[in-house]
Amino acid sequence: RTVDWAVPPNMVHHPEKNWCGPQDLVRLHAVGLEGYDAVAYYDNNVEIQGDIAPMLRCAATGRFLSTNGGVGEPMSVGFFAL
């Protein structure tokens, strides 16, 4: 799906260069999708192994699923489901 923005309109913090905002903030679109029981976001370097249906069924119950990050990172935004 094509989205209207990568950085939210009228965002206060919006450096002109040298930041990763667009690639991270575009993920917010997954939260606003309607008409689905569950939505999953995967970065292009995530390898899917096995059946994802159980994960989607769990997310459809209202849970937020994610993976942890590296050392000192509480969350990885490379995968989440809701």
Side-chain angles (χ1 to χ4, degrees):
R1 172 177 171 198
T2 302
V3 296
D4 298 334
W5 52 262
V7 176
N10 304 318
M11 188 169 141
V12 175
H13 179 75
H14 194 294
E16 295 297 320
K17 58 184 177 178
N18 298 329
W19 76 305
C20 298
Q23 73 185 32
D24 291 333
L25 294 170
V26 73
R27 295 170 171 96
L28 293 174
H29 286 283
V31 178
L33 291 175
E34 296 179 350
Y36 299 95
D37 293 331
V39 175
Y41 172 87
Y42 297 90
D43 271 350
N44 63 358
N45 64 344
V46 172
E47 181 179 336
I48 300 170
Q49 297 183 1
D51 184 6
I52 65 168
M55 177 270 306
L56 290 171
R57 281 194 293 275
C58 183
T61 67
R63 290 181 170 89
F64 178 82
L65 309 173
S66 70
T67 55
N68 66 337
V71 175
E73 297 174 3
M75 185 177 132
S76 168
V77 294
F79 160 78
F80 64 86
L82 48 108

